[in-house]
Amino acid sequence: MTVYSLILLTYFMVVSGIVYDVIVEPPGIGSTQDRATGAVKPVVFLSGRVNGQYIIEGLSSGFMFVLGGIGIVLMDLALDKNRAKSVKVSFASAGICFVVIGPGLLHRILVLTVNHLS
């Protein structure tokens, strides 16, 4: 389990863009000024640029990738014949939820980043 955890952590860091964050040193979050009120609002997703990101944007995208992967692992654990039925149902339902939620939120992040996608 330790090796799996280290591999999962490494996968999270690579998918999150840690190398990009170390080299480019982007800000954690951005800010924009509201046209109506003039107030400055925080912005988490860098809109309009596919080749750039804020640190929080990369971490949240990486978490969604890992969430989908953990969902697949949970669905695999639900197939074990030595587990109680309630545990198998819990693993299967959590796995299905994770597999649906992870890519769904990744799609939403991509739509927020690239405005012309729907």
Side-chain angles (χ1 to χ4, degrees):
M1 192 63 165
T2 304
V3 173
Y4 175 73
S5 300
L6 289 173
I7 290 172
L8 189 64
L9 180 67
T10 304
Y11 176 74
F12 170 73
M13 290 191 313
V14 169
V15 171
S16 296
I18 296 293
V19 175
Y20 172 83
D21 293 341
V22 168
I23 293 172
V24 177
E25 297 178 0
I29 60 172
S31 61
T32 185
Q33 189 170 11
D34 190 9
R35 292 181 185 170
T37 62
V40 177
K41 293 182 181 180
V43 176
V44 178
F45 300 108
L46 184 59
S47 182
R49 286 188 54 202
V50 180
N51 61 346
Q53 70 179 19
Y54 294 126
I55 293 174
I56 298 297
E57 179 181 1
L59 292 176
S60 59
S61 298
F63 178 74
M64 293 305 134
F65 275 111
V66 169
L67 189 69
I70 289 174
I72 292 172
V73 170
L74 286 175
M75 288 191 298
D76 182 54
L77 289 174
L79 296 175
D80 188 11
K81 297 193 187 312
N82 297 328
R83 297 193 192 275
K85 186 175 181 177
S86 62
V87 173
K88 289 164 62 170
V89 169
S90 297
F91 280 168
S93 58
I96 290 170
C97 287
F98 289 175
V99 166
V100 169
I101 290 172
L105 289 177
L106 276 172
H107 179 264
R108 185 65 187 145
I109 290 171
L110 185 63
V111 168
L112 286 172
T113 303
V114 183
N115 292 331
H116 63 276
L117 293 179
S118 295

